[in-house]
Amino acid sequence: MILIEAIESTKIAVEQILVSKLRSFLSILGVVIGISVVILMGWLVYALDTVVESTFQIMGTDMLWVSRFDWAGGKSWEELRNRKKLKLDIAEEFKAQMASAELVTIQTSAWGNNAIKYAGETYQGMNIEGDDFSFQYTPNGEITEGRYFSQMELQHAANVAIIGTKISDAVFPTGGADGKTIKIKDKNFLIIGIFKKQGTMMMDFIDNRIAVPLSTFLLVYGKERDVSIGVKAGNLEKLDEVRYETQGIMRSLRNLHPGQEDDFSINESKVFEETTKTIRLAVYSVGIGMTALSFLVGIIGIMNIMFVSVTERTKEIGIRKAVGAKNRSILMQFIIEAAMLCLIGAIFSFILCSILVLVVANVLPKFVPNTAFLSPTLPMNLLVIASFISIFVGIIAGLIPAIRASKLDPIDSLRYE
């Protein structure tokens, strides 16, 4: 019986919406805006999660990086700068002692405005790094063209280089970088490979690097350089064990007494989780505020329209009650009508947002680097969420007018003009 009443109420609601198309459209504008904010906020958070996941994959979720500096920024710059340098001999001794890790690699770098020369042109802004042979087995050591340098080239400090995709595109826009010779510090380097493109919004610099053998780097830039030690646990289950062993070995090699604070940092990808949470919280806060305001406007608009609708159909309500319609039928009719208005608003929102994200995802990367992570489609779960929210908003907006309509006296309603 209730199902039949619901079907009948739905038919009446559809008829009333179609009769007053313009009024119905204007009444759902606030809901359209509110639902659009919900959808776009969900899309942005989904995109953000994609960036974070990609960044963690680049860094390696099972990787630890031992360095003089702290990625999390928990220490003052002056304190970090005054720490003893992490030298190559310490790193090599650490590598010899580490037992629980899958692999240990050593890396050093020269960040900043490094220059390379090719065909008489100078290109600025490169990051140069010196890598151990085992670096190729880390997440950001993957190459797509050419090869990695060999153990022999590492031992003999060969002048070979692997370049990132941003450098390849800038210096060799038509391709064919492999086999070309570039100058670094006025020394010739043969390009033997190109790193896989991995840059994200959070790690744009990863594609703007040139890697040379660690031994070659130290000859060119000086042997008294800070190095970093990459420790690959092999899986997340072993990460804690590897971290504890790393800390123990480093404290021993740095001659730290019990109770002394570490004068090195063990960095890992999870240090960026707090930054991610802050960004996500900011997106949610702005989105929730805008959504609440839009829904408030939408609820007031739909409630007003429903009150007008009740007033206009007072005589109709009286007739329906006179022929036996129950209060719950009248109540259901107006609640369903309000919910349908909001559901239609959600459908409009999804169509508009789908067009918007398609345009943004295809156009924005042409003007803003590293925005290719934006999906051109909306996750389907957002449609489900938007639909439920819109129906809920419709029920809230239509509840008071519906209660008023259901309690109208049939005799007074029949006399209403």
Side-chain angles (χ1 to χ4, degrees):
M1 184 66 179
I2 294 177
L3 179 61
I4 296 173
E5 288 179 358
I7 294 172
E8 187 63 31
S9 296
T10 302
K11 290 179 181 178
I12 295 172
V14 171
E15 290 173 2
Q16 290 299 320
I17 291 171
L18 293 175
V19 166
S20 307
K21 297 185 184 68
L22 180 60
R23 187 173 73 182
S24 299
F25 175 74
L26 293 175
S27 67
I28 64 173
L29 276 181
V31 174
V32 169
I33 296 171
I35 294 295
S36 296
V37 172
V38 171
I39 292 173
L40 293 176
M41 181 180 67
W43 175 65
L44 285 173
V45 170
Y46 174 80
L48 175 63
D49 288 340
T50 302
V51 171
V52 171
E53 181 63 29
S54 300
T55 302
F56 285 179
Q57 290 301 320
I58 294 171
M59 297 169 63
T61 54
D62 67 337
M63 286 289 299
L64 302 174
W65 287 94
V66 184
S67 171
R68 181 159 64 119
F69 299 101
D70 188 349
W71 292 357
K75 305 286 185 180
S76 70
W77 169 250
E78 185 177 1
E79 181 182 349
L80 296 174
R81 185 186 59 188
N82 290 333
R83 284 175 169 178
K84 289 188 300 182
K85 285 186 176 181
L86 181 55
K87 298 289 189 64
L88 179 61
D89 58 341
I90 295 291
E92 289 176 337
E93 183 61 32
F94 175 91
K95 188 174 183 177
Q97 292 189 28
M98 170 56 71
S100 61
E102 181 180 286
L103 71 85
V104 177
T105 190
I106 304 170
Q107 182 189 65
T108 187
S109 57
W111 293 94
N113 196 26
N114 297 289
I116 65 170
K117 293 180 180 180
Y118 176 75
E121 296 288 334
T122 300
Y123 300 87
Q124 302 280 351
M126 316 299 181
N127 299 315
I128 314 293
E129 63 186 43
D131 294 336
D132 198 357
F133 175 75
S134 55
F135 183 79
Q136 63 183 304
Y137 304 116
T138 65
N140 55 349
E142 187 176 348
I143 60 175
T144 53
E145 291 184 39
R147 63 177 177 85
Y148 206 78
F149 53 79
S150 66
Q151 278 279 24
M152 187 70 69
E153 288 169 326
L154 176 66
Q155 290 171 4
H156 290 85
N159 285 5
V160 292
I162 304 168
I163 64 175
T165 53
K166 286 184 74 172
I167 298 173
S168 176
D169 293 341
V171 183
F172 308 98
T174 57
D178 190 15
K180 297 292 192 303
T181 300
I182 58 175
K183 281 185 178 291
I184 303 174
K185 290 278 190 176
D186 293 324
K187 298 181 184 297
N188 290 328
F189 281 80
L190 177 68
I191 298 174
I192 61 171
I194 300 174
F195 283 114
K196 176 184 177 182
K197 181 176 176 58
Q198 293 181 306
T200 68
M201 184 177 67
M202 296 176 70
M203 289 187 71
D204 173 56
F205 57 84
I206 198 72
D207 293 327
N208 194 40
R209 58 180 171 141
I210 299 175
V212 301
L214 178 62
S215 52
T216 307
F217 182 97
L218 294 175
L219 285 177
V220 174
Y221 286 91
K223 295 184 178 181
E224 298 301 310
R225 305 282 303 192
D226 254 327
V227 301
S228 296
I229 306 171
V231 185
K232 184 174 174 60
N235 57 65
L236 291 176
E237 287 72 25
K238 289 181 61 180
L239 193 59
D240 287 338
E241 177 189 351
V242 171
R243 189 187 299 107
Y244 292 140
E245 185 179 2
T246 296
Q247 185 179 27
I249 295 174
M250 283 303 300
R251 286 185 63 84
S252 173
L253 293 174
R254 302 280 271 190
N255 296 315
L256 296 175
H257 302 297
Q260 272 189 286
E261 187 179 358
D262 291 346
D263 62 352
F264 57 90
S265 295
I266 301 176
N267 301 297
E268 53 190 303
S269 60
K270 74 175 185 180
V271 301
F272 294 103
E273 289 180 3
E274 290 303 318
T275 303
T276 305
K277 288 178 183 176
T278 302
I279 296 172
R280 188 185 284 112
L281 180 61
V283 173
Y284 274 129
S285 298
V286 173
I288 289 171
M290 294 177 63
T291 301
L293 183 60
S294 300
F295 278 152
L296 180 62
V297 173
I299 287 172
I300 293 172
I302 290 176
M303 191 177 292
N304 282 333
I305 291 297
M306 294 308 296
F307 274 125
V308 171
S309 182
V310 170
T311 303
E312 288 180 347
R313 292 150 64 186
T314 299
K315 195 165 188 176
E316 173 197 325
I317 294 168
I319 294 172
R320 290 190 64 194
K321 284 194 169 187
V323 296
K326 297 180 180 179
N327 286 351
R328 75 180 182 197
S329 300
I330 305 298
L331 181 72
M332 187 183 298
Q333 175 190 331
F334 284 93
I335 287 180
I336 289 176
E337 185 173 332
M340 285 197 67
L341 283 171
C342 290
L343 185 58
I344 292 170
I347 295 170
F348 270 116
S349 298
F350 203 79
I351 293 171
L352 291 173
C353 289
S354 296
I355 295 170
L356 179 62
V357 301
L358 179 64
V359 172
V360 170
N362 284 286
V363 174
L364 193 62
K366 297 177 182 178
F367 302 97
V368 182
N370 295 314
T371 54
F373 64 89
L374 292 172
S375 172
T377 58
L378 293 171
M380 287 306 296
N381 63 327
L382 287 179
L383 176 59
V384 177
I385 294 170
S387 299
F388 276 111
I389 291 176
S390 64
I391 292 171
F392 178 71
V393 168
I395 291 171
I396 293 175
L399 187 59
I400 297 176
I403 292 173
R404 179 180 174 181
S406 67
K407 291 185 176 180
L408 287 175
D409 184 86
I411 298 175
D412 293 337
S413 298
L414 288 169
R415 291 175 179 168
Y416 185 82
E417 293 295 339

